[in-house]
Amino acid sequence: MMKTFHSGFFTGIGISIFIAAISFILATLPGFQLIGPLALSILIAVAYRQIAGYPVTGRAGLQFSSKYFLRTAIVLYGLKLNLQVILQDGWHLLILDLLIILFGIFTTYYLARKWNADPKMSLLLGIGTGICGAAAIAAFSPLIQAKEEETATSVGMIALLGTVMGLGYTALYSFSSLSAEQYGVWTGISLHELAHVALASAPGGSDALAIGLLAKLGRVFWLVPLCLLYAAWRNKKTGTTTNTKIDFPWFLIGFIVMSVVGTYLLGETFAQSQWNSILSQITTFLLSVAMVGFGLNVDLKEVWVKAKKTFVILILVSILLSVLSYFLVLSGLLV
């Protein structure tokens, strides 16, 4: 029994790493660069599941990868968050970012209830839209006890729509009435992922890119407080009557610790060094490995039934958020 367990354990991890490695290679090619390794990992894993079925012999390793590789990646993701820059230069964006986050979450949840869409997937999409895409979905997923296929589908939809919108922003830039700095803020407060913000803000130049990433990191800043508040609220609400209390998300404390280390111990020199770039690649790779485990749990027939309403809601909320933030920035009150 022990030998079988270890065999399946390493088989599952090997499958996850192999598919993630293929995704990384594909993501360097023209065209695939726009999709990114995370989305490619999910797409390849989903395709494998539909063609060959779920690799049952590797279940133990796949479950380990989707849980622990994911949490390790989120901890390392904290290095991207420069607390000093945000608190000194971006404090005025923090309030705006919080309003954007709350708008994304509550509008998505409201429409989901009104249209009778899948509640957990809708909540994940609202969180991903409001905060920081895949990383936020991954962090919240265990807190709401979402299934792996719900997590994978939510990440895939966010990645797809965010890429399309990022490309759309680059096309709209020359027709907009925004300055480069205003354009950067617009991308940072309205797009889903850091990669989408970088893609969209690049046409505005270095200033647009810098303030765009600053505005986006302000949304990342709210990830941990909102996770912890939700966990406390959920346990207080359900703990006295049921056995559905959730474990404290210790990996988010690791996120905070890494943010402090990156900001105050390693400093700006590290942020601009090759080592930071390497760690960023490692973080993305670990996330990609975790996404494989999620993607292999996706049954497209079931997803189509559950996700078509939520995808429409995601598109609608993303457009509303984009239009609202555009006019807020255009008003001149933010920049």
Side-chain angles (χ1 to χ4, degrees):
M1 178 68 70
M2 187 66 67
K3 183 177 180 180
T4 302
F5 171 79
H6 283 299
S7 175
F9 180 79
F10 291 112
T11 297
I13 291 180
I15 292 171
S16 299
I17 293 175
F18 180 71
I19 293 178
I22 292 175
S23 302
F24 253 69
I25 294 171
L26 286 176
T28 63
L29 302 177
F32 289 107
Q33 291 176 331
L34 301 175
I35 302 176
L38 267 67
L40 285 170
S41 292
I42 288 180
L43 290 173
I44 294 173
V46 169
Y48 181 93
R49 165 67 186 267
Q50 312 317 305
I51 297 171
Y54 185 86
V56 178
T57 56
R59 184 185 301 276
L62 290 168
Q63 290 177 341
F64 179 89
S65 298
S66 61
K67 183 176 182 178
Y68 293 104
F69 280 53
L70 176 64
R71 295 183 177 188
T72 302
I74 291 174
V75 170
L76 291 176
Y77 197 82
L79 287 172
K80 293 179 180 286
L81 185 62
N82 190 310
L83 298 172
Q84 190 171 14
V85 171
I86 289 175
L87 296 175
Q88 288 183 353
D89 302 329
W91 64 268
H92 63 291
L93 291 174
L94 285 176
I95 297 176
L96 173 64
D97 285 326
L98 180 59
L99 294 176
I100 290 294
I101 290 168
L102 295 177
F103 175 85
I105 294 173
F106 286 109
T107 305
T108 304
Y109 190 70
Y110 169 78
L111 291 177
R113 294 194 64 178
K114 193 174 184 64
W115 294 353
N116 197 30
D118 183 88
K120 287 187 178 180
M121 195 178 299
S122 298
L123 181 56
L124 287 177
L125 289 173
I127 290 162
T129 301
I131 305 178
C132 54
I137 290 172
F140 261 92
S141 180
L143 302 184
I144 67 172
Q145 299 175 329
K147 297 178 181 178
E148 290 189 345
E149 59 266 29
E150 293 170 334
T151 303
T153 304
S154 300
V155 170
M157 287 193 286
I158 285 282
L160 173 62
L161 183 61
T163 301
V164 172
M165 290 186 68
L167 293 172
Y169 274 42
T170 62
L172 290 172
Y173 173 57
S174 59
F175 299 99
S176 72
S177 303
L178 303 177
S179 66
E181 190 176 20
Q182 287 176 322
Y183 176 70
V185 172
W186 182 43
T187 64
I189 65 175
S190 61
L191 287 175
H192 305 79
E193 300 266 7
L194 276 169
H196 300 149
V197 174
L199 168 68
S201 59
S206 59
D207 289 342
L209 177 60
I211 197 169
L213 292 176
L214 176 63
K216 181 61 181 175
L217 288 174
R219 291 160 70 188
V220 177
F221 175 88
W222 288 109
L223 173 61
V224 173
L226 291 175
C227 279
L228 297 179
L229 283 173
Y230 178 84
W233 172 81
R234 172 71 181 271
N235 284 338
K236 183 177 180 180
K237 180 180 179 182
T238 64
T240 56
T241 58
T242 70
N243 293 320
T244 58
K245 292 185 72 173
I246 54 180
D247 295 332
F248 185 83
W250 291 106
F251 63 97
L252 294 177
I253 302 301
F255 177 96
I256 296 174
V257 170
M258 294 305 289
S259 298
V260 172
V261 168
T263 302
Y264 299 105
L265 298 182
L266 299 179
E268 191 65 26
T269 302
F270 173 78
Q272 298 177 357
S273 71
Q274 185 179 3
W275 288 109
N276 184 48
S277 178
I278 292 173
L279 274 175
S280 180
Q281 290 294 314
I282 291 173
T283 302
T284 302
F285 184 76
L286 291 174
L287 276 175
S288 299
V289 172
M291 291 302 110
V292 173
F294 292 133
L296 287 171
N297 281 285
V298 174
D299 185 323
L300 287 179
K301 292 181 180 179
E302 293 184 7
V303 166
W304 173 245
V305 174
K306 295 178 64 176
K308 54 186 176 182
K309 287 184 180 179
T310 55
F311 190 52
V312 172
I313 291 172
L314 171 63
I315 294 173
L316 180 59
V317 173
S318 296
I319 292 174
L320 287 173
L321 190 152
S322 179
V323 172
L324 173 64
S325 58
Y326 177 85
F327 284 106
L328 282 172
V329 174
L330 187 63
S331 69
L333 297 175
L334 307 176
V335 180

